[in-house]
Amino acid sequence: MATSVRLLRRYVWLIETIRRARRITLEGINKKWLYSELNIGNEEGLPERTFHRHREAIADIFGINIQCDRSNGNVYYIENEEELSKPTFTSSLFNGLSIDNQLLDNREVSERIMFEDIPAGTEFLPSIIEAISKNLLVRIEYKSFNKPELKEFTIEPYGLKQAAKRWYLISHIPTYETLTVFAFDRIKSLEITEENFEYDKNWNLSSYFDEIVGINLEDDYDLEFVKIRVYGHQRNYIESLPLHKSQKLLKREKEYSEYSFKLRPEYEFQHEILKMGFNAEILTPQWLRDEIKWQAEEILKLYQEK
């Protein structure tokens, strides 16, 4: 395992070195390798055969193609750098290891960088990915926040989704008509069975969550148009990080801007509106405006003198 991790770090270092240089020769790469903290064996450079093996592994693992421009001095460059910016598990792995490599080269900086805590459960990721890839049934013990008892489920693992620092398992339970979402941090045990299931390709997971914010799959809310007004500097925040993929700017005035959405305005969307406090208000539909008003009044009651 340690060897595999070291190799991954080397692959990431090589990608990052070429990406930063834009175009670089193998000689230039080896000069930088001399001063890397990853060069624990004080190697004078990467042998050409090793370098090309690394290129092949990088293509297999990260989908990154390192090409050689032989007409301009045998310089190497990344042909498809945009792959590293896509919201995929692989790009997340690359970015995490890239930061980790930087901290190895700058140990004094590590104490000045703070990371958010991720809830427990990520140890199940490798097993679940294996079960998804092989279409194997999984047995889990699960304890919901809303129910005190521990329950056991046999599920068909369909996919994974990350939201608000948590990982979620998207699954189908044979006796249920809809998909079920399980939070990793509430899974108490997990066992992969040897029994296969047939994946229903009618479920398009990439579009299944298009109509909501977050992970909450409630059928109580219909798909509809929502219009909000956002005041002051808060506009800059939701324009740089939209609340939902359907967000559109309708009007921009000096004091406020108005936006439209096409979604199911369930709890998580309502929560995002409430998080903006007095800097945002629902304009339409009226029922949602009334709902947010009611929640604001309930909050006010908590702060009134008793």
PDB file of all heavy atoms in Angstrom, residues 134-150:
ATOM      1  N   LYS A 134     -19.259  -4.031  -9.984  1.00  0.00           N
ATOM      2  CA  LYS A 134     -19.553  -5.444 -10.245  1.00  0.00           C
ATOM      3  C   LYS A 134     -21.032  -5.768 -10.128  1.00  0.00           C
ATOM      4  O   LYS A 134     -21.419  -6.943 -10.262  1.00  0.00           O
ATOM      5  CB  LYS A 134     -18.747  -6.323  -9.281  1.00  0.00           C
ATOM      6  CG  LYS A 134     -17.241  -6.206  -9.454  1.00  0.00           C
ATOM      7  CD  LYS A 134     -16.493  -7.071  -8.457  1.00  0.00           C
ATOM      8  CE  LYS A 134     -14.982  -6.948  -8.644  1.00  0.00           C
ATOM      9  NZ  LYS A 134     -14.231  -7.766  -7.645  1.00  0.00           N
ATOM     10  N   ASN A 135     -21.873  -4.745  -9.855  1.00  0.00           N
ATOM     11  CA  ASN A 135     -23.314  -4.949  -9.685  1.00  0.00           C
ATOM     12  C   ASN A 135     -23.603  -6.024  -8.638  1.00  0.00           C
ATOM     13  O   ASN A 135     -24.335  -6.993  -8.877  1.00  0.00           O
ATOM     14  CB  ASN A 135     -23.984  -5.318 -11.008  1.00  0.00           C
ATOM     15  CG  ASN A 135     -24.085  -4.145 -11.955  1.00  0.00           C
ATOM     16  OD1 ASN A 135     -23.978  -2.998 -11.544  1.00  0.00           O
ATOM     17  ND2 ASN A 135     -24.297  -4.417 -13.227  1.00  0.00           N
ATOM     18  N   LEU A 136     -23.031  -5.846  -7.448  1.00  0.00           N
ATOM     19  CA  LEU A 136     -23.214  -6.784  -6.350  1.00  0.00           C
ATOM     20  C   LEU A 136     -24.120  -6.187  -5.281  1.00  0.00           C
ATOM     21  O   LEU A 136     -23.988  -5.006  -4.937  1.00  0.00           O
ATOM     22  CB  LEU A 136     -21.866  -7.148  -5.720  1.00  0.00           C
ATOM     23  CG  LEU A 136     -20.916  -7.979  -6.586  1.00  0.00           C
ATOM     24  CD1 LEU A 136     -19.557  -8.097  -5.905  1.00  0.00           C
ATOM     25  CD2 LEU A 136     -21.494  -9.357  -6.863  1.00  0.00           C
ATOM     26  N   LEU A 137     -25.036  -6.999  -4.772  1.00  0.00           N
ATOM     27  CA  LEU A 137     -25.890  -6.551  -3.680  1.00  0.00           C
ATOM     28  C   LEU A 137     -25.043  -6.273  -2.441  1.00  0.00           C
ATOM     29  O   LEU A 137     -24.024  -6.930  -2.206  1.00  0.00           O
ATOM     30  CB  LEU A 137     -26.945  -7.604  -3.347  1.00  0.00           C
ATOM     31  CG  LEU A 137     -28.055  -7.832  -4.381  1.00  0.00           C
ATOM     32  CD1 LEU A 137     -28.929  -9.014  -3.952  1.00  0.00           C
ATOM     33  CD2 LEU A 137     -28.902  -6.578  -4.541  1.00  0.00           C
ATOM     34  N   VAL A 138     -25.497  -5.308  -1.642  1.00  0.00           N
ATOM     35  CA  VAL A 138     -24.786  -4.916  -0.426  1.00  0.00           C
ATOM     36  C   VAL A 138     -25.752  -4.943   0.752  1.00  0.00           C
ATOM     37  O   VAL A 138     -26.908  -4.522   0.634  1.00  0.00           O
ATOM     38  CB  VAL A 138     -24.198  -3.488  -0.580  1.00  0.00           C
ATOM     39  CG1 VAL A 138     -23.649  -2.983   0.740  1.00  0.00           C
ATOM     40  CG2 VAL A 138     -23.106  -3.480  -1.643  1.00  0.00           C
ATOM     41  N   ARG A 139     -25.281  -5.475   1.872  1.00  0.00           N
ATOM     42  CA  ARG A 139     -26.059  -5.427   3.113  1.00  0.00           C
ATOM     43  C   ARG A 139     -25.467  -4.360   4.021  1.00  0.00           C
ATOM     44  O   ARG A 139     -24.249  -4.347   4.240  1.00  0.00           O
ATOM     45  CB  ARG A 139     -26.060  -6.791   3.809  1.00  0.00           C
ATOM     46  CG  ARG A 139     -27.079  -7.765   3.270  1.00  0.00           C
ATOM     47  CD  ARG A 139     -27.250  -8.960   4.186  1.00  0.00           C
ATOM     48  NE  ARG A 139     -26.058  -9.786   4.194  1.00  0.00           N
ATOM     49  CZ  ARG A 139     -25.843 -10.800   3.347  1.00  0.00           C
ATOM     50  NH1 ARG A 139     -26.748 -11.088   2.430  1.00  0.00           N
ATOM     51  NH2 ARG A 139     -24.738 -11.511   3.423  1.00  0.00           N
ATOM     52  N   ILE A 140     -26.308  -3.493   4.524  1.00  0.00           N
ATOM     53  CA  ILE A 140     -25.833  -2.447   5.434  1.00  0.00           C
ATOM     54  C   ILE A 140     -26.687  -2.415   6.692  1.00  0.00           C
ATOM     55  O   ILE A 140     -27.862  -2.807   6.681  1.00  0.00           O
ATOM     56  CB  ILE A 140     -25.856  -1.050   4.774  1.00  0.00           C
ATOM     57  CG1 ILE A 140     -27.286  -0.609   4.450  1.00  0.00           C
ATOM     58  CG2 ILE A 140     -24.974  -1.008   3.541  1.00  0.00           C
ATOM     59  CD1 ILE A 140     -27.394   0.844   4.025  1.00  0.00           C
ATOM     60  N   GLU A 141     -26.073  -1.981   7.774  1.00  0.00           N
ATOM     61  CA  GLU A 141     -26.804  -1.613   8.989  1.00  0.00           C
ATOM     62  C   GLU A 141     -26.790  -0.098   9.043  1.00  0.00           C
ATOM     63  O   GLU A 141     -25.729   0.525   8.928  1.00  0.00           O
ATOM     64  CB  GLU A 141     -26.139  -2.216  10.224  1.00  0.00           C
ATOM     65  CG  GLU A 141     -26.349  -3.714  10.344  1.00  0.00           C
ATOM     66  CD  GLU A 141     -25.783  -4.249  11.655  1.00  0.00           C
ATOM     67  OE1 GLU A 141     -24.632  -3.886  11.980  1.00  0.00           O
ATOM     68  OE2 GLU A 141     -26.478  -5.003  12.338  1.00  0.00           O
ATOM     69  N   TYR A 142     -27.959   0.475   9.228  1.00  0.00           N
ATOM     70  CA  TYR A 142     -28.099   1.932   9.079  1.00  0.00           C
ATOM     71  C   TYR A 142     -28.906   2.490  10.243  1.00  0.00           C
ATOM     72  O   TYR A 142     -29.927   1.934  10.647  1.00  0.00           O
ATOM     73  CB  TYR A 142     -28.819   2.235   7.759  1.00  0.00           C
ATOM     74  CG  TYR A 142     -28.798   3.685   7.346  1.00  0.00           C
ATOM     75  CD1 TYR A 142     -27.666   4.260   6.766  1.00  0.00           C
ATOM     76  CD2 TYR A 142     -29.925   4.496   7.518  1.00  0.00           C
ATOM     77  CE1 TYR A 142     -27.648   5.574   6.363  1.00  0.00           C
ATOM     78  CE2 TYR A 142     -29.909   5.827   7.119  1.00  0.00           C
ATOM     79  CZ  TYR A 142     -28.776   6.356   6.541  1.00  0.00           C
ATOM     80  OH  TYR A 142     -28.752   7.678   6.150  1.00  0.00           O
ATOM     81  N   LYS A 143     -28.410   3.626  10.768  1.00  0.00           N
ATOM     82  CA  LYS A 143     -29.118   4.292  11.863  1.00  0.00           C
ATOM     83  C   LYS A 143     -29.415   5.721  11.448  1.00  0.00           C
ATOM     84  O   LYS A 143     -28.531   6.586  11.417  1.00  0.00           O
ATOM     85  CB  LYS A 143     -28.284   4.273  13.145  1.00  0.00           C
ATOM     86  CG  LYS A 143     -29.060   4.772  14.359  1.00  0.00           C
ATOM     87  CD  LYS A 143     -28.276   4.568  15.640  1.00  0.00           C
ATOM     88  CE  LYS A 143     -29.101   5.003  16.853  1.00  0.00           C
ATOM     89  NZ  LYS A 143     -28.352   4.829  18.106  1.00  0.00           N
ATOM     90  N   SER A 144     -30.660   5.985  11.115  1.00  0.00           N
ATOM     91  CA  SER A 144     -31.080   7.311  10.681  1.00  0.00           C
ATOM     92  C   SER A 144     -31.104   8.286  11.848  1.00  0.00           C
ATOM     93  O   SER A 144     -31.309   7.887  13.001  1.00  0.00           O
ATOM     94  CB  SER A 144     -32.474   7.219  10.048  1.00  0.00           C
ATOM     95  OG  SER A 144     -33.019   8.493   9.840  1.00  0.00           O
ATOM     96  N   PHE A 145     -30.903   9.554  11.569  1.00  0.00           N
ATOM     97  CA  PHE A 145     -31.023  10.574  12.608  1.00  0.00           C
ATOM     98  C   PHE A 145     -32.457  10.688  13.117  1.00  0.00           C
ATOM     99  O   PHE A 145     -32.695  11.125  14.239  1.00  0.00           O
ATOM    100  CB  PHE A 145     -30.583  11.940  12.059  1.00  0.00           C
ATOM    101  CG  PHE A 145     -29.095  12.070  11.873  1.00  0.00           C
ATOM    102  CD1 PHE A 145     -28.579  13.018  11.014  1.00  0.00           C
ATOM    103  CD2 PHE A 145     -28.203  11.256  12.554  1.00  0.00           C
ATOM    104  CE1 PHE A 145     -27.210  13.165  10.838  1.00  0.00           C
ATOM    105  CE2 PHE A 145     -26.838  11.379  12.392  1.00  0.00           C
ATOM    106  CZ  PHE A 145     -26.339  12.339  11.524  1.00  0.00           C
ATOM    107  N   ASN A 146     -33.411  10.308  12.278  1.00  0.00           N
ATOM    108  CA  ASN A 146     -34.828  10.476  12.628  1.00  0.00           C
ATOM    109  C   ASN A 146     -35.419   9.279  13.353  1.00  0.00           C
ATOM    110  O   ASN A 146     -36.524   9.370  13.906  1.00  0.00           O
ATOM    111  CB  ASN A 146     -35.655  10.734  11.354  1.00  0.00           C
ATOM    112  CG  ASN A 146     -35.187  11.978  10.622  1.00  0.00           C
ATOM    113  OD1 ASN A 146     -34.816  12.963  11.238  1.00  0.00           O
ATOM    114  ND2 ASN A 146     -35.194  11.921   9.294  1.00  0.00           N
ATOM    115  N   LYS A 147     -34.700   8.130  13.329  1.00  0.00           N
ATOM    116  CA  LYS A 147     -35.231   6.927  13.969  1.00  0.00           C
ATOM    117  C   LYS A 147     -34.161   6.324  14.868  1.00  0.00           C
ATOM    118  O   LYS A 147     -33.017   6.159  14.451  1.00  0.00           O
ATOM    119  CB  LYS A 147     -35.674   5.923  12.907  1.00  0.00           C
ATOM    120  CG  LYS A 147     -36.790   6.453  12.006  1.00  0.00           C
ATOM    121  CD  LYS A 147     -37.134   5.457  10.907  1.00  0.00           C
ATOM    122  CE  LYS A 147     -38.204   6.033   9.986  1.00  0.00           C
ATOM    123  NZ  LYS A 147     -38.525   5.104   8.870  1.00  0.00           N
ATOM    124  N   PRO A 148     -34.550   5.955  16.097  1.00  0.00           N
ATOM    125  CA  PRO A 148     -33.535   5.492  17.059  1.00  0.00           C
ATOM    126  C   PRO A 148     -33.010   4.093  16.783  1.00  0.00           C
ATOM    127  O   PRO A 148     -31.896   3.759  17.160  1.00  0.00           O
ATOM    128  CB  PRO A 148     -34.277   5.547  18.400  1.00  0.00           C
ATOM    129  CG  PRO A 148     -35.727   5.377  18.022  1.00  0.00           C
ATOM    130  CD  PRO A 148     -35.889   6.047  16.691  1.00  0.00           C
ATOM    131  N   GLU A 149     -33.817   3.243  16.111  1.00  0.00           N
ATOM    132  CA  GLU A 149     -33.410   1.853  15.964  1.00  0.00           C
ATOM    133  C   GLU A 149     -32.465   1.659  14.779  1.00  0.00           C
ATOM    134  O   GLU A 149     -32.524   2.382  13.786  1.00  0.00           O
ATOM    135  CB  GLU A 149     -34.641   0.945  15.790  1.00  0.00           C
ATOM    136  CG  GLU A 149     -35.406   1.126  14.490  1.00  0.00           C
ATOM    137  CD  GLU A 149     -36.439   2.236  14.533  1.00  0.00           C
ATOM    138  OE1 GLU A 149     -36.432   3.007  15.516  1.00  0.00           O
ATOM    139  OE2 GLU A 149     -37.233   2.319  13.583  1.00  0.00           O
ATOM    140  N   LEU A 150     -31.615   0.655  14.917  1.00  0.00           N
ATOM    141  CA  LEU A 150     -30.698   0.271  13.854  1.00  0.00           C
ATOM    142  C   LEU A 150     -31.433  -0.653  12.893  1.00  0.00           C
ATOM    143  O   LEU A 150     -32.061  -1.624  13.315  1.00  0.00           O
ATOM    144  CB  LEU A 150     -29.485  -0.447  14.462  1.00  0.00           C
ATOM    145  CG  LEU A 150     -28.284  -0.720  13.568  1.00  0.00           C
ATOM    146  CD1 LEU A 150     -27.590   0.569  13.171  1.00  0.00           C
ATOM    147  CD2 LEU A 150     -27.300  -1.641  14.296  1.00  0.00           C
TER     148      LEU A 150
END
